[in-house]
Amino acid sequence: MGEKILMKGNEAVAEAAIRAGCRHYFAYPITPQNELVEYMAKRMPKVNGTFLQAESELAAINMVLGAAACGVRAMTSSSSPGISLKQEGISYIAACRLPAVIVNVTRGGPGLGNIAPMMCDYFQATRGGGHGDYYTPVLCPSTVQEFADHAPLAFEIAERYLTPVLILADGLLGQMMEPVEFPEKTPVPKDQSDWCVGPWEGKRTSHHVINSLFIVPEDLEEKTRILFEVYEEIKKNEIRYETYNMESNPSLVVAAAGTAARVTKSAIDELKAEGIEVGLVRPITLWPFPSEAVAKAASGAKKMLVIELNMGQMVEDIRLAVSGACPVEFAGKAGGVVFTPEDIAALIKEKM
Amino acid sequence: MAEMTVNELYCKGCGLCVDACPKHIIAFAGHLNSQGYYPAVCTDQSACTACTLCYVTCPDGAITITK
Amino acid sequence: MKVVAKRPEALTDVRLTYCPGCLHGVAHRIIAESVDELGIKERTIGIAPVGCAVFAYRFFACDMVQVPHGRAPAVATGMRRARPGAIVFTYQGDGDLAAIGTAETVHSANRNENISVFFINNAVYGMTGGQMAPTTLPGMRATTSPYGRDVSDTGFPMRVCEMLATLEMPNYIERVSLLSPKEIVKAKKAVKKALKYTMEGRGFSFVEMISTCPTNWGLDPVSSREWARENMLPVFPPGLFKDRSAGAKPGAEKE
């Protein structure tokens, strides 16, 4: 591993993407991820990559569609409202089976909300925010190091399954600085010439078509069947989660992701010092959701407490996974207000 | 001797070639093609000068001209 | 016997799905002829819009991509940056380019993006059944301007060439007509020139083609052309609006 560098989350994920071979980045300014855009603007020309500021987030995702259709590693990033504008494009990219990476550094919502680190885009991210039957793998980091590690991972998953992949971090993680190490080697971009478009003299005998229109229902049905076979593969191989202090087989287990999970860990450490054992299960892939791991964590517990920086979104997936094995309670903060470790410690004591 | 042929698979009987031909030797055939259109047909190949105006105006790439 | 004229190689052998007499087919043919003559079929990527020409991905024999409504110029931008060696053209109708896709059109032009944009203007939304388009004429009926377009309410028909010509950078902007064989021959020259400029890296090429929509205008193909000549050409006068690299040495790459 390389040496440690102190970096903002926004810049760490950008640097990691470049080191992962991403050479085409299209985006639009929006707080709290402007540093990601600015970093790409500085770095891409130095690695003779493409940085282009588009006229809108909507245009940017379509530029990503075009670059991905040509078989190159392409990426965009934005924050909540901007990601809403990209949804139609993401639906097309999923339908056309194109690999691409989209980073959402979330902010307070709905509407213009604010620039505080709310994580209220869980539903949009995990239920396929655009139209039609599709999902996108969603990676949810909780440290700057993990945020950086998710860039090469996202490209690898995108290319392995020919799908767009979303990295869902919040404004706090984007703005926070932590030491980061970048891996020596990262996955080499896959050769996509068996399906991509672009100059093909002497390389192939016929033209390629990339399209998501299937007027005959049976054709679209078949395309969807294939897509969902891929989703089953992703569910089998790509689920990631972390557990914390579960070896103490606690009676109360917290389920939380991203920043909420990070704050919970501090609370768990504080309570442990007071002799109170609390466990944590932290989904890292929000889709495919680690249902089995959550069910397992709940099986030994008397109660599960879901903590989110929103009014309750992941709690629904948790309830589905636990399916009654133990009561599941929820505590959330809206508006971009963030729990302190003390808040969570008090909450846990109250719920014990 | 020029020859103008119409591919009945493509012709939709739109009549633009009929209008375009300076020699007025294109008309609608008496039968329907598989799509239910009366396809265009050259009525006097000997008068055809291969000027290609019918080809140029045809929206369906249905016309081939040889000389 | 030598073949003087036949269906171009760059068109597939699929029957076109356009209505009888619709001039989309003519636009397809002169683009395909130009691709053949310039020998670039294996380097060209065509982008199909949403609208009557959505099925263009079946009709052209070069690489084709079908994209969201109005977003073709943005997709083309991504492609061009990813594969500079590719010749990218977009094929768009008036709803796609001048309504929902206005921002993408204006900004790709403003960046002088090295792509060819072929804009088919038939003053109506064809595929969806004849609604009013940004180019629908004053007083012209459409299914969403059933009493005739009221310009005080919905604005005057949008002259895209003139609008884009006010931008500094776009390299080549021309409006042509497909309303007669003579005009089609002239339109073909413009299309071939646009693609040649793209090959030479000269930046943004834009060719607007005045076309017809017999079905939604409720006219037969021949009288549709006459109606368009009398009513559309005065509002959308064909002409050359910008040709910055005219006379420039061939092969001068876009700086």
Side-chain angles (χ1 to χ4, degrees), chain C residues 105-112 160-171 173 204 242 244:
Chain C
T105 304
V106 169
H107 283 275
S108 55
N110 198 49
R111 290 190 302 264
N112 199 22
V160 178
C161 283
E162 289 82 346
M163 194 171 76
L164 294 180
T166 63
L167 299 171
E168 193 59 39
M169 294 296 292
N171 183 54
I173 299 173
F204 191 77
K242 223 172 174 78
R244 283 175 54 235

Side-chain angles (χ1 to χ4, degrees), chain A residues 57-127:
Chain A
E57 292 94 343
L58 189 153
I61 191 70
N62 279 287
M63 291 176 188
V64 165
L65 190 155
C70 291
V72 300
R73 281 191 167 173
M75 171 172 157
T76 183
S77 67
S78 186
S79 175
S80 307
I83 299 293
S84 296
L85 284 176
K86 294 179 191 289
Q87 291 307 318
E88 182 197 31
I90 293 172
S91 172
Y92 266 73
I93 291 173
C96 296
R97 304 279 321 279
L98 301 176
V101 172
I102 302 111
V103 179
N104 180 6
V105 184
T106 60
R107 55 184 279 160
L112 192 52
N114 60 31
I115 57 172
M118 193 171 177
M119 177 58 91
C120 44
D121 300 353
Y122 179 92
F123 279 151
Q124 177 191 55
T126 59
R127 295 308 187 263

Side-chain angles (χ1 to χ4, degrees), chain A residues 16 41 67 80 87-88 94 97 103 160 199 233 249 251 255 290-291 297-299 310 317 321 328 333:
Chain A
S80 307
Q87 291 307 318
E88 182 197 31
R97 304 279 321 279
V103 179
R160 187 176 303 144
E233 271 306 296
N249 81 63
S251 63
S291 302
S299 62
N310 56 46
D317 282 338
V328 174
K333 280 200 186 294

Side-chain angles (χ1 to χ4, degrees), chain C residues 11 27 54-55 57-58 79 99-100 105 117 120 123 190 217 239 242:
Chain C
L11 284 184
V54 67
F55 294 115
Y57 68 85
R58 298 184 192 164
M79 287 178 173
I100 190 169
T105 304
V117 173
I120 313 306
W217 292 356
K242 223 172 174 78

Side-chain angles (χ1 to χ4, degrees), chain C residues 215-238:
Chain C
T215 298
N216 287 307
W217 292 356
L219 296 168
D220 69 81
V222 176
S223 33
S224 297
R225 290 191 316 191
E226 287 330 309
W227 183 86
R229 182 177 310 290
E230 279 148 31
N231 298 282
M232 285 187 72
L233 294 193
V235 176
F236 303 108

Side-chain angles (χ1 to χ4, degrees), chain B residues 21-58:
Chain B
C21 177
K23 298 292 181 190
H24 309 296
I25 52 168
I26 304 177
F28 293 112
H31 62 278
L32 294 176
N33 70 5
S34 61
Q35 288 294 294
Y37 297 116
Y38 290 102
V41 67
C42 176
T43 54
D44 177 3
Q45 293 288 4
S46 67
C48 174
T49 64
C51 74
T52 75
L53 287 184
C54 57
Y55 165 83
V56 166
T57 197
C58 171

Side-chain angles (χ1 to χ4, degrees), chain A residues 173-196:
Chain A
L173 202 52
Q175 294 299 327
M176 175 193 295
M177 290 184 84
E178 279 184 318
V180 182
E181 269 176 279
F182 294 105
E184 291 307 321
K185 254 182 17 48
T186 55
V188 172
K190 234 171 86 176
D191 167 23
Q192 311 284 16
S193 41
D194 53 348
W195 56 264
C196 71

